[in-house]
Amino acid sequence: MITSTAEYAGQVRGVLDLIAAGDAEGAVPRLLALAETIDDHWSGEGRKVVTAVRDAPPHFKAALLHRLAVRYHELEENTALRRRVVHLVDWIQGEGLFEGQPRDTRAALIRLAAEREMHHHTEHLVRLAELELAEGRDLPGEFVAVVRRSQLMLWNGSQQLGPLVKRMTHPVLNPGEAWSDQALADISGLDEVWQRLLAHSATATAARPSAKWERTARSLIDAVGPEALRQRALPWLSLVGRPRTQALVSTYYGANPNDTLDPYNANALRGLTWLLALLPAHAETARTLGTLVETCLKKVQGLGPRNPKVANAAVNALARLDGEAALAELARLTTRVTYKGTLKLLDTALDTRAQALGLGRDEIEELAVPAYGLTAVGHARYTFGEATAELRVEGPRAVLNWRNAAGKPVKAVPAAVRRDHADELKELKAAVKDIDKMLTAQSERLDRQFLARRTWSYATWRERYLDHPLVGTLARRLLWTVDGTTVGFADGAPRTLTDDPVTEGTEVALWHPVDHEPAHVVAWRDWLERHRITQPFKQAHREVYLLTDAERATGTYSNRFAAHILRQHQFHSLAAIRGWRNKLRLCVDDEAPPATRELPQWGLRAEYWIEGEGEDHGVDTTESGSYLRLRTDQVRFYPIDAPENSAHCYGGEYRMWLRDGADPVGPLPLAGIPPLVLSEVLRDVDLFVGVASVGNDPTWQDGGPDGRFREYWTSYGFGELGQSAETRRALLARLIPRLAIADRCTLEGRFLQVKGERHTYRIHLGSGNILRSPNDQYLCIVPRSAAGTPQSGYLPYEGDRMLAVVLSKAMMLADDTKITDPTILSQL
């Protein structure tokens, strides 16, 4: 490591001396060492080295290129040193350097170029290709791939590389991705029409296929056979998103190319979805397209969604397919997708289906849920020769249980079933996965129905909810209102609080606690517990947010969730899932509206005012310039058609944008907002804070960057409980006496106190942070990213991850002499 200017200057002189002496072999390690010192910023003294190399004789530069290319392939894949070699090669290459090079040097340079996402020096690519082709050599598929990628990704790519790309007809796909490698292997040795079909797929560069494109596609499908195409294409698509089979050199800025999709292959993927849309409808086709949508919308650091264009193509293909399976995937995706462009396509597709059937949007979403082979609510039995399989929905997932020919329960699939019923077994396993996905989607859809003002006739409710083979597993664990009477499902029938059956009615609605007295709510919690019913989400235990004195005083806004520090990207994802519209704050001179949720059934728009936090690029922002954290402010309500507010991304006053002479519209008094709307909106905001606050991070006890958030972290991590944490406390009061560690646990204010053998611990019920005796010393225990609920007996609802964190920490600390984690032990 260079520690002084003199040392740096001496290193530069040493490299210059080697260049002057024509010692290419000795110059390479010294150049790479210098590149590491200056982090590839060849300015100041380093610029002298660049000039010296460029002014050196051609034979020296050719030798230097050769040594660098050889050194590149000696280095470990995807390392910083490889990037430095690439950088050096870029500014050494010049006109005429490739002529007269040894064959192995040119081959090494071609291999080096092939491991890049794109090559900015297009003339180098063209010259290398021309020399190889002139000598009758085929260009490696990986080199063809970088030429194609460079043409698509560079602003002048088509002009510089277009003629060369037209000559590159093979391979028909770019190798290096799991799916494209498999496709190329599968069509090797097949009729040449398969090559033409994939080549035609790669021409799918528009949003939708043209009539001409479809005519060619149909002729190719007829040539290979529709079923043959489906059987080959679906396994290819299932491999999309797998790790690259040939790693590319990562760049200094932007997304890692190994996490993205090859843009040339992405066009081919779009084409394949278009081809599948022309085939007869099939459940596996719909399933694969739905998975492709989610894969291509997965977030990639420095980029965002991996490839929305491919996701949109898959949605368009689903929209064109007939049948129950395609409609089900469209409905499921609307509950999972948060990317605005794709969500808009999904909404359009479902609205079009609903209009064609003369139904409302809500109705089409209800009718879109398949039974997935379930013959009763949450249950089905299948026979495979002499063996049987029983499929049961247990809570949030589907479970398969097997019996062999003797009727004895077995853990694994019987060998005879795997041997003689492979196709049926594959379909059954796929149905289990589909059920798991749809259960999650339907649970989230139902959880958002409280503000929909939806009612059903009794018969429709029974058909679409209570007795539906899949939705019934959720609906029978919820509370409903039948003609004003609250009912829950138990012992085969809807029942009242006194367990009287309800066999008929006129109008049914989803029950919400805000409409009922506390004693009534508590009575139904007891009823659920008596019948051992675990709700799919908080309903009877749902938090109710009533107007406070402080909010009556402010009148038109709530400061209940102001002055919090949230992780921006986590907040952004949560907001989208809960139906809020939000724009990422970038550290740029721009304005943005607040996070908003439109409530058309109520004619209202809710706003949560937020701003970017911090000014230090790279510390407070990502590489792309988006803020890592937000600071929160007021919650307000406006008429849904009121002009939009906006404020500078850095922060500052929100102002209403008035266009075409429009008059300003003031915020609505909170006292006039319907209690259900106020409660549900504030519950959403409480969720955002409860999940995305940096106060929940046990590793932030130092206050984050420069300790700026130490005071906030302490006040949030150990402060007064919010409504959600109060609900958690009330549940723990009932739950703790049944735990095996009950004699070691006590609820004290906002903490669960746990007596271990080494120390006594206090776990905060809001953040899960821990203080231990003596002197309330902080104990950092980082929960697993997907902590499951521990085996603690009956729980009245699913989905409270913080409850699982608190319980798992309590069970660990109650038996603290058995802790083996060295990080935790060092703090005890």
Side-chain angles (χ1 to χ4, degrees):
M1 177 67 68
I2 301 301
T3 58
S4 69
T5 303
E7 234 179 317
Y8 169 48
Q11 193 175 14
V12 171
R13 282 195 303 273
V15 175
L16 292 174
D17 289 343
L18 290 168
I19 294 171
D23 185 358
E25 184 172 359
V28 166
R30 300 291 290 273
L31 271 171
L32 290 174
L34 180 58
E36 183 174 7
T37 299
I38 62 178
D39 197 23
D40 278 340
H41 295 292
W42 296 88
S43 56
E45 288 292 306
R47 193 67 192 171
K48 296 178 181 178
V49 175
V50 176
T51 302
V53 170
R54 288 180 175 170
D55 291 344
H59 70 274
F60 172 79
K61 288 191 282 189
L64 191 60
L65 271 179
H66 174 78
R67 298 291 180 187
L68 283 169
V70 170
R71 180 66 180 134
Y72 175 88
H73 293 289
E74 293 171 349
L75 297 170
E76 188 177 344
E77 286 186 355
N78 210 25
T79 58
L81 206 52
R82 272 196 163 192
R83 288 201 303 268
R84 293 193 170 99
V85 171
V86 168
H87 198 67
L88 288 169
V89 167
D90 276 353
W91 56 257
I92 291 171
Q93 294 183 74
E95 186 176 353
L97 276 184
F98 299 129
E99 281 75 4
Q101 285 276 20
R103 173 74 190 93
D104 60 343
T105 300
R106 194 193 305 160
L109 289 171
I110 286 174
R111 292 202 310 275
L112 187 152
E115 294 189 13
R116 303 176 65 173
E117 182 181 25
M118 61 178 172
H119 203 308
H120 290 276
H121 298 279
T122 55
E123 66 277 8
H124 298 162
L125 292 177
V126 172
R127 191 59 188 143
L128 282 171
E130 286 176 344
L131 290 170
E132 289 293 288
L133 293 172
E135 294 177 9
R137 294 188 181 88
D138 292 331
L139 296 173
E142 295 76 17
F143 182 77
V144 171
V146 73
V147 174
R148 287 170 172 167
R149 288 194 296 267
S150 299
Q151 183 209 13
L152 292 170
M153 299 178 72
L154 296 175
W155 69 271
N156 62 344
S158 294
Q159 180 182 354
Q160 301 292 330
L161 297 172
L164 177 60
V165 168
K166 288 181 180 179
R167 298 170 63 186
M168 295 176 165
T169 57
H170 288 83
V172 289
L173 299 174
N174 284 351
E177 294 184 320
W179 86 267
S180 61
D181 286 355
Q182 187 62 55
L184 291 171
D186 286 349
I187 67 171
S188 177
L190 294 180
D191 191 285
E192 192 265 341
V193 69
W194 283 96
Q195 298 274 347
R196 297 204 309 272
L197 185 142
L198 286 180
H200 185 59
S201 295
T203 65
T205 57
R208 286 181 171 82
S210 65
K212 180 180 178 181
W213 194 95
E214 283 202 9
R215 283 195 299 272
T216 303
R218 290 183 186 278
S219 66
L220 291 169
I221 291 171
D222 289 341
V224 302
E227 184 59 19
L229 173 59
R230 186 185 68 81
Q231 290 183 0
R232 291 194 181 278
L234 296 188
W236 300 341
L237 296 187
S238 68
L239 295 175
V240 175
R242 298 280 183 89
R244 283 188 60 89
T245 57
Q246 297 168 23
L248 299 175
V249 179
S250 60
T251 56
Y252 287 102
Y253 304 103
N256 186 331
N258 297 296
D259 297 331
T260 63
L261 297 186
D262 184 303
Y264 184 85
N265 286 349
N267 286 337
L269 286 171
R270 293 165 79 185
L272 283 172
T273 67
W274 295 355
L275 291 170
L276 290 171
L278 302 177
L279 303 184
H282 192 284
E284 190 177 1
T285 301
R287 186 182 302 128
T288 303
L289 288 171
T291 300
L292 182 64
V293 172
E294 294 181 280
T295 299
C296 292
L297 293 181
K298 185 178 180 181
K299 296 289 183 66
V300 171
Q301 186 175 1
L303 177 67
R306 181 180 276 138
N307 199 299
K309 290 183 178 180
V310 176
N312 292 348
V315 169
N316 287 331
L318 281 168
R320 295 186 63 175
L321 289 173
D322 293 326
E324 180 185 77
L327 182 58
E329 279 300 310
L330 289 170
R332 183 185 69 81
L333 289 169
T334 58
T335 69
R336 306 299 299 160
V337 168
T338 59
Y339 184 70
K340 292 178 183 176
T342 307
L343 187 56
K344 183 178 180 180
L345 286 177
L346 287 164
D347 286 338
T348 300
L350 282 179
D351 288 344
T352 301
R353 289 284 182 97
Q355 187 176 7
L357 295 172
L359 300 172
R361 170 63 183 272
D362 289 333
E363 289 182 289
I364 200 71
E365 289 183 358
E366 292 167 357
L367 295 171
V369 186
Y372 294 113
L374 297 171
T375 53
V377 175
H379 178 261
R381 189 182 297 275
Y382 303 88
T383 301
F384 298 90
E386 296 182 336
T388 59
E390 185 180 38
L391 191 159
R392 283 192 176 277
V393 175
E394 298 179 0
R397 58 191 296 266
V399 176
L400 267 180
N401 295 307
W402 291 91
R403 291 182 180 272
N404 60 20
K408 181 181 178 181
V410 292
K411 292 183 178 180
V413 180
V417 176
R418 293 197 302 269
R419 182 186 65 243
D420 301 332
H421 304 276
D423 291 341
E424 297 97 314
L425 178 62
K426 178 183 176 182
E427 190 60 33
L428 178 58
K429 288 183 175 181
V432 170
K433 292 181 179 178
D434 287 345
I435 289 172
D436 287 348
K437 289 181 180 179
M438 187 58 84
L439 282 169
T440 300
Q442 290 302 308
S443 179
E444 291 175 357
R445 183 179 72 84
L446 283 165
D447 195 16
R448 295 203 297 260
Q449 287 296 304
F450 292 105
L451 288 173
R453 307 186 90 171
R454 186 102 164 86
T455 61
W456 300 265
S457 69
Y458 185 87
T460 299
W461 170 67
R462 296 272 335 199
E463 177 188 356
R464 298 182 187 175
Y465 286 89
L466 214 60
D467 298 331
H468 187 281
L470 186 137
V471 182
T473 65
L474 302 170
R476 292 184 177 192
R477 295 188 284 141
L478 295 173
L479 300 179
W480 303 84
T481 301
V482 179
D483 296 337
T485 299
T486 306
V487 302
F489 190 91
D491 300 325
R495 297 182 184 275
T496 65
L497 192 59
T498 55
D499 283 337
D500 297 319
V502 176
T503 58
E504 59 184 15
T506 303
E507 184 178 85
V508 181
L510 192 59
W511 181 93
H512 192 286
V514 78
D515 301 320
H516 303 276
E517 294 296 325
H520 182 78
V521 175
V522 171
W524 273 103
R525 290 178 182 177
D526 292 339
W527 186 91
L528 290 167
E529 185 174 339
R530 187 169 75 249
H531 290 284
R532 310 292 286 179
I533 295 172
T534 297
Q535 297 199 291
F537 48 82
K538 288 183 185 178
Q539 187 191 28
H541 291 77
R542 201 173 190 82
E543 301 83 3
V544 174
Y545 299 78
L546 302 176
L547 205 61
T548 64
D549 290 340
E551 288 160 346
R552 290 188 183 93
T554 56
T556 58
Y557 61 89
S558 170
N559 272 329
R560 200 184 303 199
F561 301 104
H564 287 282
I565 306 298
L566 310 184
R567 295 183 186 85
Q568 171 166 223
H569 294 85
Q570 192 172 21
F571 164 77
H572 184 70
S573 297
L574 284 169
I577 289 170
R578 294 299 300 171
W580 289 67
R581 181 165 50 90
N582 182 56
K583 182 179 180 181
L584 284 173
R585 266 57 178 174
L586 303 178
C587 190
V588 294
D589 186 14
D590 194 11
E591 294 198 351
T596 61
R597 181 174 180 182
E598 294 189 346
L599 306 164
Q601 295 88 346
W602 304 86
L604 297 173
R605 181 180 78 227
E607 295 187 353
Y608 190 26
W609 289 8
I610 54 177
E611 62 185 51
E613 165 58 42
E615 300 176 353
D616 193 344
H617 186 84
V619 174
D620 296 315
T621 71
T622 64
E623 286 185 356
S624 60
S626 61
Y627 281 104
L628 290 170
R629 291 168 289 276
L630 300 171
R631 188 176 292 274
T632 69
D633 202 345
Q634 304 172 6
V635 175
R636 294 188 175 208
F637 290 87
Y638 289 87
I640 196 169
D641 56 355
E644 190 174 66
N645 287 304
S646 68
H648 202 282
C649 293
Y650 290 132
E653 183 182 358
Y654 271 91
R655 302 184 306 276
M656 186 166 280
W657 280 95
L658 302 176
R659 297 177 177 84
D660 303 324
D663 295 324
V665 177
L668 297 170
L670 296 180
I673 303 301
L676 174 62
V677 175
L678 180 69
S679 184
E680 283 299 297
V681 166
L682 292 181
R683 184 178 185 272
D684 277 354
V685 178
D686 195 0
L687 171 70
F688 304 154
V689 173
V691 174
S693 171
V694 299
N696 288 322
D697 190 337
T699 66
W700 266 54
Q701 70 270 23
D702 61 354
D706 301 322
R708 297 200 313 264
F709 308 108
R710 186 179 290 112
E711 183 178 349
Y712 169 75
W713 183 87
T714 301
S715 65
Y716 181 88
F718 298 105
E720 295 300 322
L721 300 181
Q723 190 65 47
S724 180
E726 288 285 3
T727 301
R728 191 174 301 126
R729 188 187 191 285
L731 174 60
L732 284 169
R734 301 171 68 107
L735 181 64
I736 287 172
R738 306 170 195 157
L739 299 179
I741 58 171
D743 60 332
R744 293 178 173 267
C745 295
T746 309
L747 279 172
E748 295 192 356
R750 51 186 181 269
F751 294 92
L752 172 61
Q753 181 166 293
V754 181
K755 190 177 186 313
E757 295 296 330
R758 299 171 183 264
H759 302 279
T760 297
Y761 310 89
R762 297 200 301 156
I763 307 171
H764 191 261
L765 300 178
S767 66
N769 291 333
I770 306 168
L771 299 173
R772 72 163 178 83
S773 65
N775 305 323
D776 278 348
Q777 292 176 299
Y778 178 66
L779 174 60
C780 179
I781 299 179
V782 181
R784 295 178 181 177
S785 59
T789 302
Q791 295 298 317
S792 53
Y794 166 76
L795 291 175
Y797 54 81
E798 299 163 357
D800 187 346
R801 183 178 181 273
M802 186 55 68
L803 175 64
V805 168
V806 170
L807 285 171
S808 63
K809 288 182 177 181
M811 291 179 179
M812 174 192 294
L813 296 172
D815 200 7
D816 56 1
T817 57
K818 294 185 179 179
I819 294 174
T820 57
D821 186 295
T823 303
I824 300 175
L825 284 175
S826 66
Q827 303 174 72
L828 298 180

